[in-house]
Amino acid sequence: MTAILLGLFGGAGATLLWELVLKPMRERRNVAEVLSAEVSLNLELLAAAALHARPDNVPSDFELSTMVFDAMAERVGELPSQTVREVIFLYRYFKQLSELPKIYVRSVDAFRAVSADSPHRKAMESEIRSCAEVFNSLVAKATHRVNLTQPMLLVAAFPWWSPRKYRHAPSKELDLREMAERVLVSQAERAKLAEEIRRRDRE
């Protein structure tokens, strides 16, 4: 690329073109690509949370990744304006979801520490149920936002004129049925392995 630019525009012109146009475009694609990878990871976690959702429970070990976003927060503004808006909106959901398990655990611990005849037990039970309802609701909303935001990130990462676009698998919306089948297969394999171990122990 450098040799081509030097041939077309000369030293100073090639440098200006690279610094003002091509380099920012490349860096913008890189930002979009790494954010897209983190969003994909979180999509898998959201799918698992949706499949195992309960009206009265929040998984205590649930946490979504925001490391890439946090590390690149200053560069998110390099993305197209609509994409920036959607990314910030989406990561707001991610951070809220990661905080809810901590709130749930504290609420459950406080509930267990209260005596059975305490007048506060009903209110605490209601708070625990509310926390689970909010969690399940945010999982659904975040999944929806991922399906809106991820294609935008992929367009920014792999524009139509980039050769990388044709080497990259196209984005598709989360298929919960497919995910459920994968989880069931995995559970069946674990159950089969556990049964084999128990059978060997008996022998």
Side-chain angles (χ1 to χ4, degrees):
M1 178 62 73
T2 303
I4 293 173
L5 292 175
L6 286 171
L8 291 175
F9 301 100
T15 300
L16 284 174
L17 181 62
W18 172 254
E19 292 294 334
L20 298 179
V21 180
L22 298 179
K23 184 179 178 182
M25 288 171 61
R26 186 182 71 172
E27 291 179 347
R28 182 165 58 245
R29 295 201 307 271
N30 290 339
V31 170
E33 186 173 1
V34 294
L35 280 173
S36 173
E38 184 168 60
V39 169
S40 293
L41 169 63
N42 287 337
L43 186 59
E44 296 282 341
L45 298 173
L46 289 168
L51 290 170
H52 298 288
R54 287 175 49 185
D56 59 347
N57 182 266
V58 174
S60 60
D61 59 346
F62 182 88
E63 185 175 8
L64 297 172
S65 174
T66 62
M67 290 187 298
V68 173
F69 177 83
D70 293 339
M72 308 189 76
E74 295 181 356
R75 299 183 57 191
V76 171
E78 299 173 10
L79 298 172
S81 58
Q82 182 62 25
T83 306
V84 171
R85 177 183 177 278
E86 294 297 334
V87 166
I88 291 174
F89 197 3
L90 177 62
Y91 272 86
R92 181 185 173 193
Y93 277 135
F94 287 171
K95 293 189 176 185
Q96 286 177 327
L97 277 164
S98 294
E99 286 299 314
L100 279 171
K102 302 172 187 176
I103 296 172
Y104 176 82
V105 169
R106 288 197 297 267
S107 298
V108 171
D109 288 343
F111 178 77
R112 289 172 177 168
V114 170
S115 61
D117 58 351
S118 171
H120 303 296
R121 284 182 68 87
K122 287 187 177 180
M124 297 174 76
E125 286 179 341
S126 177
E127 182 179 345
I128 290 171
R129 285 195 300 271
S130 176
C131 186
E133 289 172 3
V134 170
F135 178 82
N136 292 332
S137 173
L138 284 178
V139 166
K141 290 178 180 178
T143 300
H144 175 67
R145 300 309 304 187
V146 167
N147 287 329
L148 293 176
T149 307
Q150 184 73 314
M152 299 173 71
L153 284 171
L154 290 171
V155 167
F158 306 97
W160 65 267
W161 46 264
S162 172
R164 294 191 304 168
K165 175 180 175 62
Y166 305 99
R167 300 195 299 266
H168 183 78
S171 173
K172 66 175 183 178
E173 290 192 356
L174 174 64
D175 188 336
L176 284 175
R177 181 177 301 174
E178 177 185 350
M179 187 68 67
E181 291 174 353
R182 287 165 53 188
V183 171
L184 289 174
V185 168
S186 177
Q187 290 175 336
E189 290 175 350
R190 288 197 298 270
K192 182 179 179 181
L193 178 60
E195 179 58 30
E196 289 179 356
I197 292 173
R198 286 194 294 269
R199 180 174 53 78
R200 290 173 188 169
D201 289 342
R202 289 194 299 267
E203 294 174 353

